[in-house]
């Protein structure tokens, strides 16, 4: 794909992003924001029952064209391939930038990878929920661990959870 | 016009030191076909230009066009001249920058162009958002101007750019520093990006002695235009005591937001010894043994 064609493809995704409706039966929704540039996405993840595999993904958000286009492209891929959780977690930020297109993504890596980072957090949360439920943990205990996941994201370039929106807005003040 | 908008005061009536560097959206609308004017859009959002731009405008991307691809620095004279010629810029062209984020990147491009001594630079007050809210036209047609003939000088980093050693001396002399990042960054509460080392910092806080004046304070949020000089003086001089005749260093994370403050101080208020420290927090916050203040 040459650069002009790629740009047109990205613009088309940015203007008419796919899979942008919240999934009513999602196992989890995780907001993620890029501190600094105002990009905000909430990943909705529905896991396949009894299988550590993606059943459906959507992203709802606002932000720059590349962040929203990347979410749309990633959601298309996820809803087509239904990868295992391990495959999502193994899918690297570098691969995500290749998927979007290096000639554009290299100039805005954080925007290009926000969707993937948020989705990975959602997958980790579902995976952990399942393990904890299997181990007999209560909902309250699981909620506490979710908060721990958000805390663990500190320093990864993303702000996950309830603080994401505020963080994404932060630098504009 | 399709919307009722808050009116803006004429630029000439706002008391700026150099009002000639700002033009209104109306001025731009009247010069869309002026062969001596080149509109340059510069955005945070890398796809925004392609979704529609002011008719005739060309795009300059701060990463792809202005940064050296290898070394953390700006492009050299030859590459910069090549860029400007490709954008159809001649020696007598008036360049008008505009962009998203209240012209944050437009003023950054302005600052880089000034490093190369390019004259006849202006910024469209209110930026892309004001133009859009006024219902003015955008087009998606690719703009391919005839190559320009401009010749540019070697980059001069000595007047408006600050490097780390200068900032260290500045701190030691207790000279004024302005941190234009968000209050959370200034306080060191927000640290990010080991996965994006090009924008991360290992330590949070601010350079000792820096005043926190977020860049966006220079903008009226209702109109997206620069505040009049009197209001700017209240912010920078009365509230924060920045002496008009002193040496001042402004910084942020990589020098982009601070170029907006550099622009406001230099051209709107007439400070003439302001330098932008583009190494900014991504350099200072990673430097071994650099002094850091945290409230």
């Amino acid at each position: 794909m040459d650069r002009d064609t790629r740009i047109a493809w990205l613009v088309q995704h940015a203007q008419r992003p796919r899979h942008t409706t919240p999934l009513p039966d999602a196992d989890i929704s995780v907001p993620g924001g890029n501190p600094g540039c105002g990009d905000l996405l909430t990943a909705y993840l529905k896991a396949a029952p009894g299988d550590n595999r993606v059943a459906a993904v959507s992203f709802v958000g606002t932000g720059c064209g590349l962040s929203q286009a990347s979410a749309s492209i990633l959601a298309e891929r996820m809803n087509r391939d239904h990868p295992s959780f391990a495959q999502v977690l193994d899918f690297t930020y570098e691969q995500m930038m290749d998927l979007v297109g290096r000639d554009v993504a290299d100039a805005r890596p954080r925007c290009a990878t926000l969707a993937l980072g948020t989705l990975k957090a959602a997958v980790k949360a579902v995976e952990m929920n399942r393990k904890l439920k299997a181990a007999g943990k209560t909902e309250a205990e699981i909620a506490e661990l979710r908060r721990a996941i958000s805390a663990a994201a500190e320093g990864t370039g993303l702000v996950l959870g309830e603080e994401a929106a505020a963080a994404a807005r932060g630098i504009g003040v | 016009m399709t919307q009722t908008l808050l009116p803006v005061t004429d630029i000439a009536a706002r008391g700026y030191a150099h009002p000639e560097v700002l033009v209104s959206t109306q001025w731009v609308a009247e010069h869309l076909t002026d062969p001596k004017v080149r509109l340059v859009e510069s955005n945070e959002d890398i796809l925004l230009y392609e979704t529609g731009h002011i008719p005739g405008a060309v795009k300059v991307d701060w990463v792809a066009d202005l940064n050296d691809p290898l070394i953390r620095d700006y492009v050299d004279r030859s590459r910069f001249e090549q860029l400007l010629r490709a954008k159809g810029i001649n020696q007598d062209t008036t360049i008008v920058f505009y962009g998203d984020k209240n012209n944050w990147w437009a003023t950054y491009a302005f600052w880089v162009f000034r490093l190369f001594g390019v004259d006849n630079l202006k910024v469209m007050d209110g930026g892309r958002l004001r133009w859009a809210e006024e219902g003015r036209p955008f087009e998606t047609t690719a703009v391919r101007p005839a190559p320009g003939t401009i010749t540019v000088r070697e980059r001069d980093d000595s007047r408006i750019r600050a490097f780390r050693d200068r900032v260290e001396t500045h701190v030691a002399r207790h000279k004024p520093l302005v941190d234009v990042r968000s209050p959370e960054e200034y306080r060191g509460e927000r640290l990010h990006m080991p996965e994006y080392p090009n924008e991360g910092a290992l330590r949070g806080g601010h350079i000792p002695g820096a005043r926190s004046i977020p860049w966006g304070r220079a903008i009226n949020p209702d109109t997206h235009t620069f505040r009049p000089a009197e209001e700017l003086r209240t912010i920078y001089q009365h509230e924060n005591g920045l002496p008009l005749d002193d040496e001042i260093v402004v910084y942020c994370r990589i020098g982009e937001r601070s170029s907006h403050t550099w622009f406001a101080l230099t051209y709107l208020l007439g400070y003439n010894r302001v330098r932008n420290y583009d190494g900014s927090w991504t350099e200072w916050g990673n430097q071994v043994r650099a002094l850091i203040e945290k409230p």
Side-chain angles (χ1 to χ4, degrees), chain B residues 60-231:
Chain B
V60 168
D61 186 69
W62 62 280
V63 178
D65 293 324
L66 299 179
N67 278 233
D68 184 280
L70 183 61
I71 297 169
R72 184 178 173 187
D73 201 356
Y74 301 105
V75 291
D76 60 15
R77 189 199 67 79
S78 161
R79 260 187 92 135
F80 185 71
E81 187 175 276
Q82 222 176 343
L83 169 73
L84 267 55
R85 289 182 176 187
K87 303 298 176 186
I89 293 169
N90 301 313
Q91 218 70 43
D92 60 352
T93 300
T94 295
I95 301 169
V96 180
F97 297 99
Y98 74 96
D100 63 358
K101 304 268 180 183
N102 289 328
N103 279 328
W104 154 358
W105 297 100
T107 51
Y108 185 68
F110 185 112
W111 178 72
V112 174
F113 277 48
R114 285 302 301 146
L115 289 176
F116 288 95
V118 179
D119 295 316
N120 303 325
L121 305 180
K122 297 178 188 298
V123 170
M124 185 179 83
D125 197 28
R128 187 182 159 105
L129 191 51
R130 180 82 193 173
W131 180 272
E133 288 185 352
E134 289 174 347
R136 297 185 188 274
F138 287 96
E139 68 173 22
T140 53
T141 319
V143 178
R144 294 194 174 84
T149 56
I150 191 170
T151 302
V152 296
R153 299 196 287 267
E154 287 298 333
R155 205 179 66 222
D156 176 5
D157 293 331
S158 67
R159 293 177 307 104
I160 58 172
R161 189 178 185 192
F163 293 103
R164 189 186 64 233
D165 52 351
R166 177 182 285 276
V167 179
E168 286 166 348
T169 307
H170 200 80
V171 171
R173 292 166 62 208
H174 304 288
K175 291 288 186 183
L177 274 155
V178 180
D179 183 322
V180 313
R181 298 173 300 162
S182 65
E184 292 85 357
E185 291 171 287
Y186 176 82
R187 292 194 297 264
E189 294 165 3
R190 184 174 299 155
L191 253 184
H192 39 93
M193 294 160 231
E195 293 188 23
Y196 309 103
N198 55 324
E199 294 187 10
L202 291 169
R203 291 289 184 269
H206 57 266
I207 299 176
R211 308 282 304 188
S212 171
I213 316 176
W215 70 279
R217 292 197 65 194
I219 294 291
N220 178 337
D222 297 322
T223 60
H224 321 300
T225 55
F226 280 101
R227 294 183 185 280
E230 196 47 46
E231 290 179 28

Side-chain angles (χ1 to χ4, degrees), chain A residues 34-40 164-173, chain B residues 190:
Chain A
N34 267 334
C37 50
D39 300 332
L40 185 64
R169 282 196 305 269
I171 285 177
V173 297
Chain B
R190 184 174 299 155

Side-chain angles (χ1 to χ4, degrees), chain A residues 4 7 10-11 14-15 35-38 64-66 69 93 104 107-110 113 155-157 166-167 170-171 173, chain B residues 43-47 50-51 61-63 101 104 144 182-183 185 190-196 199 214-216 253 257:
Chain A
D4 286 349
I7 293 273
L10 290 170
V11 166
Q15 291 181 326
C37 50
C64 75
L66 183 57
Y93 291 96
V104 178
R108 303 288 192 280
R110 294 164 58 205
T113 57
T156 64
I171 285 177
V173 297
Chain B
N43 295 325
E44 162 89 7
D45 185 337
I46 195 170
L47 298 177
E50 282 78 9
T51 67
D61 186 69
W62 62 280
V63 178
K101 304 268 180 183
W104 154 358
R144 294 194 174 84
S182 65
E185 291 171 287
R190 184 174 299 155
L191 253 184
H192 39 93
M193 294 160 231
E195 293 188 23
Y196 309 103
E199 294 187 10
W215 70 279
R253 185 167 47 103
R257 285 171 284 175

